[in-house]
Amino acid sequence: NAGVTQTPKFQVLKTGQSMTLQCAQDMNHEYMSWYRQDPGMGLRLIHYSVGAGITDQGEVPNGYNVSRSTTEDFPLRLLSAAPSQTSVYFCASSSEQAGSTDTQYFGPGTRLTVL
Amino acid sequence: AQSVTQPDIHITVSEGASLELRCNYSYGATPYLFWYVQSPGQGLQLLLKYFSGDTLVQGIKGFEAEFKRSQSSFNLRKPSVHWSDAAEYFCAVALYYNNNDMRFGAGTRLTVKP
């Protein structure tokens, strides 16, 4: 049981490049979320999914796309990276809604730098 | 504006001393409340949460938090801090109209002196 895994751990992009941050969980959780963490700002919700095929926007969705084709995987896509997207990205999952009585489990994070 | 505020960016305490980390929220109704801890280079781990009922909540690692509706606060406490408690602590709320939408405070970094 690996929990929530994220790849890569580190990534450097040039402005305008695209990439996909991978997130997978092996706990059969329906709910998955992506957050970004910036200094002095805590975590901010980017997108979330309540099950395969269902996604919705969070607080800061602009510049990011998501899809959820399987229960296990929830990739985050940057179509045209910008320096403002330099951040640490966390994926999380839970068996119920993120703010429910259930526990939300976080991955170890991906540190992204956009030059 | 709706917000979660952690007034203390950085706190230093001596090992064995008591700890209180402050958290205030500003929302139209009482949201669900959480405290998370993040060790360096790690993801977040849930310490405790409050939904309803007893306003004093017990969590893992000896932490507790008290919800005070009149002050819109949810402060985290520990009677005796250990060196391993050095980390960053985040207060978070889940919006009452969308439990998938969690909002986090900016965090408080805790340093523990020997």
Side-chain angles (χ1 to χ4, degrees), chain A:
Chain A
N1 188 337
V4 181
T5 58
Q6 293 183 237
T7 56
K9 284 187 167 46
F10 301 94
Q11 183 71 48
V12 179
L13 292 178
K14 294 181 180 177
T15 298
Q17 287 185 318
S18 63
M19 80 159 295
T20 300
L21 307 185
Q22 301 291 346
C23 174
Q25 51 90 10
D26 61 359
M27 298 174 280
N28 201 32
H29 285 168
E30 289 295 326
Y31 294 85
M32 297 185 74
S33 305
W34 275 104
Y35 297 87
R36 60 177 289 173
Q37 183 179 27
D38 301 296
M41 299 190 71
L43 276 74
R44 291 182 291 169
L45 181 66
I46 304 171
H47 286 284
Y48 64 92
S49 169
V50 301
I54 307 170
T55 64
D56 205 346
Q57 296 180 352
E59 186 182 0
V60 289
N62 292 342
Y64 307 95
N65 281 351
V66 292
S67 60
R68 183 106 177 263
S69 57
T70 67
T71 299
E72 295 77 20
D73 301 298
F74 189 42
L76 179 72
R77 297 183 186 84
L78 285 71
L79 298 180
S80 178
S84 61
Q85 294 177 304
T86 293
S87 188
V88 180
Y89 291 85
F90 289 98
C91 180
S93 76
S94 57
S95 60
E96 298 179 11
Q97 292 172 321
S100 70
T101 55
D102 188 32
T103 296
Q104 188 172 203
Y105 295 89
F106 284 80
T110 293
R111 184 175 294 275
L112 175 67
T113 301
V114 182
L115 303 176

